[in-house]
Amino acid sequence: MDSSHIGMVEQQIVVSNIQDALVQASHKHHIALENLDFSIHNISDLQRGEEFFYRDYTIDIFQRGFSPVELHYSLKTASNTTSVRFYQGSSVDVTMATPLEVLTEIKKVLAKEGVVYGVYDDETLYRIAAAVHRAFVEKSDIPDEPFAVASGQNPRASADLAYPTYHFDRHGLIASGGGQEPMLSPFEMGKDTFIVREGELLITEPILRESQLQISTSGYIVNPVNGPRLPFHDFSPDIRREQTPEAYLYYAEKDGYLSVEKGTLLIRPQVSFESDVLDSKDAAQAKKREDIVLGASDETKDAVSAGQVIEGRNVTINGHVGAGAIIRGLNVTINGVLHKDACIEAEHEAVVDISKGTVRADRAKINMLEGGTVEATSSVEVLGKSMQSVIKSPRIFINELKNCSVTTGGYQIRINTVSDGTNFFTIDPLTIESVNTRYQMALGQQKELLKKLKAIRQSYNSKKNQLADVRKQYEPLRGKIEKLRRQSSAVPSAFQNIVERHNSLTKEVISLKQQAQVIVRQLSTLEDFIYRIQYVETTTSFTVYKRLPKGNILKYGKSSAHITIDQDLAGVTVGKNRAGKLEYRLVRG
C-alpha cells in the first residue's frame, strides 16, 4: 500500500536484512513489531560475500494501517526449492486490489524472509498472485497447495574443481589437484614443520565460480565442491590476504613457522639454531667418557700444568690452566684463568672465568676476554669486557668491547657498549670454520634427505594403489568374516590372506607418512640454516644498546664493501633491508 498515508518511521534506508531492520526500528521508536510494515523502492542485483549471496533493499518503514492485501503464509524448502503456502485468514479486498497488488505482497514476503537466490521471474509469481486473487473474486478457498517461488543451485556435475595451492609445501606432499591424492594434509605435521619467509606467497585459494557452488534460496553457500576446505577460518596479523578476481592470496608478514592454532592461521617465531641440527655420530662414544673435576693443591700453582692434556665428558677445572695445555670434553668449565697459549675444545658448552687463550665450542660463556680467541658454532656470551680479542660465532653478545677487537658474527651481534672506534665487525658465517663445515654438511644432508623423501613418495604412491585394489576385495568380505566368527565357523584361508594383506599395506602406508613427516621437519631446519648463510645480508642484525662511536667498521659478507660508521650512535640496530640498503633502527638499551 502507499506508505505516504501512514506515519513514516524510517525512510529510504538501505538494508540487506529487512527483518532485522524492522526489529531495530521497533526498539528505536518504541513501536510494537506487529504494528510496523514496509515498502520496497529498489532491490539490488545479487551480490556475493565469502560465505553467502545477498541483496540490498531500499525501503521505507512505517506504522501499519489498513491494507487491501493481508497474506498469512508459511515457507518451506525441500530439495533446494522454496515453496509458499497461503492459509485461510488471508484477505484480499478485490474492490481495491488487483493481482498486481497481490504480487507486490508476495515479493515483500520473499524479501522479508530472506529468499534472495533463484527467485522466479515476475511472470511466474504473477500466476501465483492471480490464483490467490481469483479465489477471493470467486469467494472460494485459497488453493491448499505449495507454490514454488525460488530454486537454489546444485552445481553441474561437469564443473571443473578448483583446488587451493599450498606454495609453502616445497616438497610436493600436499596435492593441489584431483590427479594425485595428498600424502599429507596441510598442517597435520605440527607447529614446526614449514618455515616461511617475509613476503612469501603461502596459499592461493581460488574463488569458486558461481557454477561450482551449491547455493540455497536464502543465498548461503551450502557445500562448495572444490574438495577439502582450507584448514583454518581466520588468520592473524602475521598473514596478509589479498584478493584478485580469481583468488585469495595469503602472504607471510614475517619469518617463522607456519601453523594453525584454534582455527587461526599464524606464524610462530623461529627456534634458535643449535648444533644438534646436524646428525651426531659421536654421541655414543661421548657417553663412555668420565666426568673430571680438577683443582690446584696450592694457589700459587696451576690446576692444569703447562702442556698437559685433559680429556673427559664434563670437565671442571677449579683454578688456572697453564701454557700449552689442552682441555677437551662435552662441557668444559674453567673457574680461573686460561693461559694465552692454552686451548679448550668443548663439543657443547665452554664456561671460562678469564680467557686469554683459545676456546672452541658449540656455546661459549666467558666472564672476561683478554686478547683471546673464541670460536663457537652456536653462540658466544662475554659478560664483562672483551679487549683486543677475536670472536667468531653465529650469535654473539658482548657487554663491553674495546681496543682493536675483531668480531665475526653469522646471524646476530649484540653489544651493550663499544668503548672506542677501533673495532672491526664482520657479518659472514662462512668465515667461521666450524660453521662453514656445518654448512657443507648441511648441503650434503639436504641432498640425501631429498633423495629419501622422493623414494618414500614413490613407495607411498605404489602402496596406496595396491591398498586401493585390495580394499575392493576386502570391504565386501568384512561382513562375511564377522558372520563366520560369530558362528564360530572357520574363516577360509583366501579370506584371511586378503585381510592380512589389507592390514599389512595399511601399516606400511602409515609408516611411510610418518617417515615423510620426520624428513620434512629435518629439511625445514636444515633449509633455515642454509638460507641464513646464503642470505646473510638480510637475515642478520648488529645491535649496540648504549654507545657505538664513529670509526668502527662493518662488513657484510665477502662480496660487500667495508662500511665505516661515520657518526656516534647510541641504542641502534644496523642492518640491511631486502633492497640491500643500510638501515638504522633505534632500540631500547
Side-chain angles (χ1 to χ4, degrees):
M1 66 178 296
D2 187 354
S3 62
S4 63
H5 297 164
I6 307 299
M8 188 67 66
V9 176
E10 303 276 355
Q11 192 169 9
Q12 294 284 324
I13 61 173
V14 179
V15 299
S16 59
N17 189 312
I18 294 176
Q19 185 67 45
D20 283 353
L22 291 171
V23 170
Q24 291 174 20
S26 171
H27 292 161
K28 179 179 179 182
H29 299 283
H30 307 290
I31 302 171
L33 185 61
E34 60 269 19
N35 292 333
L36 291 178
D37 201 354
F38 68 97
S39 62
I40 300 175
H41 290 286
N42 181 65
I43 302 176
S44 75
D45 292 335
L46 196 66
Q47 301 179 67
R48 181 175 174 180
E50 287 190 31
E51 300 292 337
F52 56 88
F53 289 84
Y54 65 96
R55 297 182 189 274
D56 287 330
Y57 301 92
T58 304
I59 64 172
D60 290 339
I61 299 177
F62 48 87
Q63 295 187 59
R64 182 183 296 277
F66 169 76
S67 175
V69 180
E70 293 283 352
L71 298 178
H72 295 194
Y73 63 89
S74 66
L75 292 179
K76 183 177 181 180
T77 300
S79 301
N80 216 9
T81 295
T82 296
S83 300
V84 61
R85 185 186 295 270
F86 299 105
Y87 297 126
Q88 305 306 321
S90 299
S91 64
V92 177
D93 187 340
V94 296
T95 64
M96 299 179 63
T98 69
L100 284 175
E101 279 71 37
V102 180
L103 172 62
T104 298
E105 290 300 312
I106 291 175
K107 294 173 76 171
K108 283 175 58 179
V109 165
L110 299 181
K112 182 179 178 181
E113 298 295 336
V115 179
V116 298
Y117 191 90
V119 177
Y120 293 167
D121 57 30
D122 283 0
E123 182 179 348
T124 302
L125 296 179
Y126 181 83
R127 287 198 290 268
I128 299 171
V132 173
H133 186 270
R134 188 182 312 113
F136 285 93
V137 170
E138 297 174 352
K139 298 182 180 180
S140 60
D141 291 339
I142 301 174
D144 186 19
E145 61 181 82
F147 296 97
V149 291
S151 292
Q153 174 178 276
N154 295 313
R156 301 193 311 267
S158 60
D160 293 332
L161 303 183
Y163 288 82
T165 301
Y166 299 98
H167 303 280
F168 59 84
D169 172 31
R170 300 177 181 87
H171 309 296
L173 302 180
I174 304 172
S176 297
Q180 183 176 353
E181 183 179 347
M183 185 174 185
L184 302 169
S185 61
F187 312 110
E188 75 170 309
M189 292 180 287
K191 299 175 181 178
D192 297 333
T193 301
F194 294 108
I195 195 163
V196 298
R197 303 294 171 191
E198 180 183 350
E200 179 182 342
L201 175 60
L202 305 174
I203 302 170
T204 297
E205 177 191 7
I207 296 176
L208 303 179
R209 299 189 301 275
E210 191 172 325
S211 63
Q212 294 176 295
L213 303 174
Q214 181 174 328
I215 308 167
S216 71
T217 56
S218 58
Y220 283 92
I221 298 171
V222 179
N223 182 27
V225 296
N226 69 322
R229 297 174 66 87
L230 290 175
F232 57 88
H233 55 74
D234 197 5
F235 53 93
S236 74
D238 303 335
I239 309 293
R240 181 180 81 257
R241 188 175 77 170
E242 297 180 0
Q243 182 176 351
T244 70
E246 294 80 25
Y248 294 109
L249 307 176
Y250 296 83
Y251 291 90
E253 287 287 82
K254 68 178 186 180
D255 293 357
Y257 285 97
L258 201 60
S259 178
V260 172
E261 298 179 19
K262 296 181 179 179
T264 299
L265 182 68
L266 51 84
I267 296 176
R268 298 178 65 251
Q270 292 174 240
V271 297
S272 298
F273 179 83
E274 299 292 349
S275 62
D276 56 6
V277 166
L278 300 180
D279 292 337
S280 175
K281 297 176 182 176
D282 300 322
Q285 185 65 30
K287 290 180 181 178
K288 298 178 181 179
R289 303 178 198 166
E290 299 293 331
D291 290 347
I292 296 174
V293 178
L294 295 176
S297 57
D298 186 336
E299 292 183 0
T300 63
K301 296 181 180 179
D302 293 334
V304 177
S305 304
Q308 191 175 359
V309 177
I310 305 295
E311 186 168 357
R313 184 170 58 180
N314 298 305
V315 180
T316 301
I317 308 298
N318 295 313
H320 306 320
V321 177
I326 300 174
I327 312 296
R328 296 191 183 102
L330 289 180
N331 300 291
V332 176
T333 300
I334 308 296
N335 296 314
V337 179
L338 182 70
H339 191 277
K340 68 182 182 66
D341 294 324
C343 177
I344 291 175
E345 297 176 0
E347 294 180 32
H348 291 169
E349 185 175 54
V351 179
V352 184
D353 186 18
I354 299 173
S355 179
K356 300 180 180 182
T358 299
V359 177
R360 297 187 183 93
D362 180 59
R363 301 178 301 278
K365 185 179 292 185
I366 299 171
N367 186 41
M368 193 75 68
L369 188 58
E370 299 178 1
T373 297
V374 183
E375 182 170 318
T377 311
S378 292
S379 64
V380 171
E381 289 183 73
V382 180
L383 304 179
K385 293 181 181 180
S386 174
M387 298 173 287
Q388 296 182 325
S389 300
V390 175
I391 302 175
K392 295 183 178 183
S393 179
R395 293 192 308 277
I396 298 170
F397 170 78
I398 303 170
N399 182 49
E400 183 179 355
L401 184 70
K402 62 189 301 183
N403 294 350
C404 303
S405 292
V406 177
T407 304
T408 299
Y411 314 136
Q412 183 186 77
I413 298 176
R414 296 181 299 124
I415 303 173
N416 196 27
T417 188
V418 179
S419 299
D420 51 42
T422 61
N423 303 286
F424 191 94
F425 305 95
T426 301
I427 305 288
D428 184 359
L430 292 182
T431 63
I432 305 169
E433 183 179 349
S434 58
V435 175
N436 190 17
T437 300
R438 290 171 64 195
Y439 175 65
Q440 300 303 327
M441 289 175 62
L443 292 175
Q445 286 191 21
Q446 180 191 39
K447 186 176 180 179
E448 289 302 314
L449 288 173
L450 288 172
K451 285 182 180 178
K452 289 182 181 178
L453 191 61
K454 182 178 179 181
I456 288 173
R457 179 71 204 225
Q458 291 173 343
S459 180
Y460 175 86
N461 291 340
S462 174
K463 298 297 182 184
K464 283 289 288 186
N465 291 335
Q466 294 176 45
L467 182 59
D469 291 338
V470 172
R471 189 170 284 140
K472 294 175 184 177
Q473 301 172 292
Y474 172 76
E475 291 297 338
L477 294 178
R478 294 176 65 183
K480 296 179 182 179
I481 293 173
E482 288 300 320
K483 184 177 180 180
L484 288 170
R485 286 174 175 167
R486 286 196 301 269
Q487 296 172 349
S488 299
S489 300
V491 178
S493 58
F495 288 14
Q496 289 280 25
N497 291 339
I498 292 172
V499 171
E500 290 172 4
R501 178 64 173 155
H502 176 272
N503 293 341
S504 174
L505 284 169
T506 300
K507 289 179 181 179
E508 289 182 66
V509 166
I510 293 172
S511 174
L512 289 168
K513 285 186 65 171
Q514 292 171 342
Q515 292 175 48
Q517 291 170 358
V518 171
I519 289 178
V520 169
R521 287 197 184 97
Q522 292 173 335
L523 280 170
S524 187
T525 308
L526 283 172
E527 287 165 356
D528 181 35
F529 173 52
I530 292 167
Y531 178 91
R532 285 169 176 265
I533 290 177
Q534 293 178 342
Y535 297 91
V536 62
E537 292 193 358
T538 58
T539 58
T540 60
S541 64
F542 171 78
T543 301
V544 177
Y545 294 100
K546 291 185 178 178
R547 181 169 181 259
L548 178 61
K550 64 182 179 181
N552 285 287
I553 297 173
L554 275 70
K555 178 178 172 60
Y556 279 88
K558 294 179 180 178
S559 59
S560 299
H562 295 168
I563 302 167
T564 301
I565 303 299
D566 58 3
Q567 57 182 311
D568 290 339
L569 300 172
V572 66
T573 292
V574 184
K576 283 191 175 183
N577 60 25
R578 294 183 184 270
K581 295 182 179 179
L582 207 64
E583 287 184 340
Y584 298 91
R585 300 189 302 276
L586 295 178
V587 297
R588 292 182 179 180

